[in-house]
């Protein structure tokens, strides 16, 4: 079975850097199915990459390889990694934080990881460039890993020694109070929806009372889907990845409310609903 | 023969939503060739998607599957559809109007369509999300359809009951007068060319007299190709899809003339050319 | 072995023009692996396309086909070409200058080229459009070439007669002085790095003395990698394609210094380093 290699970068495509990575992969692993996950991560936005991966990676067949190059630290001492997640997805890229959401508390297990220190898997016959490890280390390693998966003998440890403590960005835990749950925006997506750190379960745990959300100085209903409010109205709803999102139907909640990572979002229980007489 | 699945969305790629759809397809139909048609449709722009599909879909091999998710109505009662066009292209997506240009009067036949109401073809083993049917319904159905096409037993009716009257946006018919043909801009493309509802045949039908076009308060020649005018000059010409377009060589006619859908464009016959003496 | 066809255009994807080209290729060469190199070349920017190709094409397996359509002259007398580079990469596209960096002095040999004048390889059964040769000539020729490569009988000359003197843009030669090397910016990439015409070898040839670079009225150190300066600092370094680049760590040197093609960049040798006592 042909293996899958996805690519996630902040390179854009116009300069040809991504094109070079695809050429390297086509040379090493001509059978692999190469899939563009995205090249439009904002420059250096490790957090944006982490959320893109979190939304996409779990839907791939096990043993897919995801090459992720957001690398402002290229040429410094930052580590180069290959990681196997709890769900048997492989992640290859610099240790800059993009794999945060595949580590506890977002996964149950600590993922296995190795440091890419074995030059025999890098681009062959050339000096290593000091500025483009996407082409010279990460694409070749992803391609070799894909080949090994095709032949059934993938072994992370051939690429280098075990690596501990992946670099992670902080996602603050929400704070539960008596009738409220205080969280914050952790990411704003391309539609202007603001993803928060408030998990689905708190909303689901309080079906007996209407819950409202507050963000950017406005209160809004917590609904099931965009269609539950009118065009242009604000709402909060559990997004496709399981976290509460602040949204505006047919518009951008982030623009409307000035939302950005770190801005508080509060879920508040209102007076209990009167039970209908039966 | 491996089947083809193309993807058209307004999701952009940066958030990972498209990446999730590709993962779902790779899981269900690992042999399918997945082709990005575009993810840069402006948010909610059903008309833009319709023109992109109109320009691209007819050039695919018959039995290609095109998954088209422009879905501002996700979670409302809008229908989910699979459609087979006159040219045996399959279209899968919400019933929001994106398939307008594959219906009469733009095609000779009414396309076959079914409503996607059979959950067994949706993403398996999960509750349906209320906000992301691209991942949970349309990508899985497109992938299952591609598999059925590979094995030679594609049957739209397994996906749900026959659907009638696809939702369509209005493209006004041009009005013919004695020496003029009055139409309007229906779409502006990425180069700033303004596509009109004036068909090729009216221009072709009047070879005996020079025809000029008027748009945005300016008159311009009707030419065969951009090279017939000087750099920076305005012209009108029959575009690659068979409709008159207002263009500016090496520039944007839309910016220059303030063109947008609905702005009038008139083709006008001028004084007949003197016949050359023979 | 399935062949590789890459696509490079300035079409963007939103209008469906690229989608049409991919459909044409899927019809003619269903086995080919179609790879998006980029569709985000700025409109008509032949030089940008040339640099993207220069960075990417050498990393593909020999006998890959690269379809490159930056074509402001479509419908004029500009030639349509198929080219085989010194490194046995095939380039197919209009003769507008995008292949400059595969010609001397950037390659040792003059590439072989033919003019695409044989309509039997164009899109079958249709009149040639006057505005979209990407779909009607270049994609079909690239696909036919890919098929011929798969079956081992690729022969450029079946597509038309030998073409001489490819159109090229001028890259001025840098000027060497006693203690300085005067060049200029030739291209600015998506990160805001300014690529110059100053080759790696001049920097490498003067290891005994510190070299500084001057651009946009500022002097900056010549370093090995971004990590050698602090975040926000300017530097010059040899980029991944072998030319000196002016960069700003975690920022845009082009924005900071007002750099654009043609702006002078000078490498200057400073006082020799004192030898350490041994």
């Amino acid at each position: 079975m042909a293996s899958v290699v996805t690519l996630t970068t902040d390179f854009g495509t116009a300069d040809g850097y991504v094109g070079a990575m695809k050429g390297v992969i086509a040379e090493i692993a001509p059978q692999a199915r190469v899939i563009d996950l995205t090249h439009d991560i904002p420059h250096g936005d490790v957090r944006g990459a982490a959320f893109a991966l979190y939304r996409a990676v779990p839907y791939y067949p096990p043993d897919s390889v995801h090459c992720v190059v957001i690398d402002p630290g290229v040429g410094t001492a930052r580590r180069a990694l290959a990681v196997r997640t709890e769900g048997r997805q492989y992640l290859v890229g610099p240790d800059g934080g993009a794999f945060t959401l595949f580590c506890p508390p977002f996964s149950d297990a600590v993922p296995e990881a190795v440091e890419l220190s074995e030059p025999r898997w890098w681009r062959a016959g050339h000096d290593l460039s000091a500025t483009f490890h996407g082409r010279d280390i990460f694409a070749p390693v992803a391609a070799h890993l894909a080949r090994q998966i095709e032949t059934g003998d993938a072994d992370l440890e051939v690429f280098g020694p075990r690596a501990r403590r992946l670099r992670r960005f902080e996602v603050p835990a929400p704070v539960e109070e008596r009738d409220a749950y205080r969280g914050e925006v952790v990411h704003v997506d391309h539609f202007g929806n603001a993803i928060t750190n408030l998990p689905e379960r708190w909303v689901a745990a309080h079906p007996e009372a209407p819950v409202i959300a507050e963000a950017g100085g406005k209160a809004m209903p917590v609904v099931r889907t965009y269609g539950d409010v009118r065009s242009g109205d604000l709402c909060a709803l559990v997004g496709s990845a399981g976290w509460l999102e602040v949204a505006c139907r047919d518009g951008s909640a982030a623009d409307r409310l000035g939302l950005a990572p770190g801005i508080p979002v509060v879920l508040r229980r209102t007076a209990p609903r009167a039970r209908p007489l039966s």
Side-chain angles (χ1 to χ4, degrees), chain A:
Chain A
M1 173 60 67
S3 54
V4 167
V5 178
T6 80
L7 298 175
T8 299
T9 75
D10 63 349
F11 295 165
T13 61
D15 293 323
Y17 299 118
V18 169
M21 291 174 66
K22 291 178 177 178
V24 167
I25 295 170
E27 174 90 26
I28 295 171
Q31 305 300 332
R33 294 176 180 274
V34 178
I35 295 177
D36 289 306
L37 210 143
T38 184
H39 304 293
D40 289 342
I41 298 294
H43 191 186
D45 182 7
V46 162
R47 190 180 279 243
F51 277 91
L53 294 169
Y54 185 80
R55 288 200 192 91
V57 164
Y59 300 97
Y60 281 80
D63 291 325
S64 295
V65 179
H66 307 276
C67 185
V68 182
V69 189
I70 317 295
D71 200 13
V74 63
T76 67
R78 67 96 185 91
R79 296 181 297 183
L81 297 177
V83 174
R84 180 169 41 215
T85 72
E86 202 180 5
R88 232 171 75 215
Q89 302 287 342
Y90 290 89
L91 308 168
V92 176
D95 183 27
F99 306 146
T100 297
L101 301 177
F102 297 97
C103 297
F106 306 101
S107 86
D108 292 329
V110 175
E112 292 177 70
V114 298
E115 185 169 350
L116 304 177
S117 60
E118 285 289 344
R120 68 186 153 127
W121 304 107
W122 303 353
R123 197 158 67 84
H126 292 83
D127 286 342
L128 181 66
S129 82
T131 57
F132 191 11
H133 291 183
R135 179 192 69 196
D136 294 346
I137 297 181
F138 301 116
V141 166
H144 284 296
L145 191 50
R147 277 188 62 152
Q148 293 171 7
I149 287 166
E150 283 170 15
T151 56
D153 53 16
D155 176 6
L156 275 190
E157 310 223 352
V158 302
F159 295 99
R162 196 63 43 175
R164 311 218 172 273
R165 273 181 300 228
L166 271 54
R167 200 167 157 200
R168 283 176 271 167
F169 57 82
E170 205 58 49
V171 178
V175 175
E176 186 150 14
E177 297 176 354
R178 194 170 164 281
D179 276 331
Y181 206 21
R182 296 181 179 280
E184 62 181 59
V185 174
V186 290
H187 180 62
V188 172
D189 79 9
H190 153 268
F191 293 111
N193 298 329
I195 290 85
T196 73
N197 58 345
L198 294 163
E200 184 166 19
R201 62 175 183 278
W202 199 85
V203 184
H206 297 279
E208 79 289 351
V211 168
I212 58 160
E214 295 168 0
K218 296 266 187 189
M220 64 206 76
V222 179
V223 299
R224 198 186 59 88
T225 186
Y226 305 116
D228 293 342
V229 296
R230 282 173 307 177
S231 186
D233 279 2
L234 294 163
C235 62
L237 76 182
V238 176
S240 57
W243 279 315
L244 191 86
E245 301 183 9
V246 177
C248 172
R249 184 174 174 191
D250 303 326
S252 164
D255 287 355
R256 180 93 167 271
L257 298 172
L259 302 180
I263 300 273
V265 178
V266 181
L267 274 175
R268 198 180 294 284
R269 208 179 314 166
T270 58
R273 248 197 302 248
R275 284 283 181 80
L277 299 172
S278 60

